[in-house]
Amino acid sequence: MSIFASPTSWIESGALDQCRQVAALPGMRHVAGMPDLHPGKGAPIGAAMTSSVLYPFLVGSDIGCGIAVFPFKLKRPVPEKLATRFPDLDVPDRSFFDEADVPAGCTDSLGTVGRGNHFVELARVGTVFDIDHADRLGLAGGDLVLIVHSGSRGLGERILRAHTEVHGAGPAEDPAAYLAAHDDAVRWGSLNRRVMAARVADALGAEHEPPIVDECHNSVEVRDGLYLHRKGAANGDGRDVLVAGTRGTPSFLVAGHAGADAGYSVAHGAGRKMSRADALRRGKAKHTVEELRRTPVGSLVVCGDRQLLFEEAPTAYKRIEQVIGDLVEHGLATKVVSTVPLVTYKTADVEPRRRGGRR
DNA sequence: ATGTAC
């Protein structure tokens, strides 16, 4: 077991307990904890876990969840104006995809963001740390990007449930069959992010390009004859990854250089510091809805759900700079650019949410 | 995390 966090980076003991439990599973060879490590449901989040057998529960239900970055071009990006123009990403819009292109034929929720830590954010490139690398990606300071964090919605959940109903937390009896369904969910998740980018571009009157970064962080792959599970950990083996900050702090686009001891992975975000229940309780005492909807960096958060706003408050997360610092210090990644949010969409701004209506 | 489980 290797944990890639400096001694000053606080890691909840429950997450380390979960890592030890996973490390003790039959066939487990290596567990790598990322600096955003925190407890999950049964398995730690922010970990790369390598074993001789495939454990679907280590990937979790949101198979193929990931973060994509799309270059956006907009004339005058005024957050107050743009926030009112975001499409309702809680409901699908079939005019943005062709049914024939959808993996597993699952079209019901394609192009929707979901809940929890998922978000769609229009951001501006802030600090450029590696000019050459940023240039290769076509990025310069001040450029606009759309960051989309979402996954496979109900599809991945159904794939995990089909396994757990029979085998619980046990290994896949037919790894090839699981992997085939998993790969569909990974492709579906990536398409989901692209459909959302198209929807947002259309609604904002923006030009957008294909993603320059799109890495999922809940997945399993066969590597060196073993199953490399990633839960809240992105492929950091020569890949570029957007490590998400919070709704009100920058995010960092990094170049991954992670080796075997790190499970060829990098962190996927700031990592929760508080459980959702704690964040809700403490957040209500500490913040007003207004200060969570207009952040210290001047961005706006579109979120008609008060509870979600508190659960996802920046103070419920670790400091992203510390997480990135740990990645850099351990040689897992180098910084390329930071992004600073302008508008972050969490869920429609009206409560109760409108269903199926047009804007 | 989830057209969810208690």
Side-chain angles (χ1 to χ4, degrees), chain A residues 23-35:
Chain A
L25 287 171
M28 191 57 60
R29 302 291 178 85
H30 185 59
V31 175
M34 298 293 118

Side-chain angles (χ1 to χ4, degrees), chain A residues 236-252:
Chain A
D237 185 14
R239 308 287 188 97
D240 296 332
V241 175
L242 191 289
V243 187
T246 69
R247 285 359 86 219
T249 57
S251 294
F252 289 80

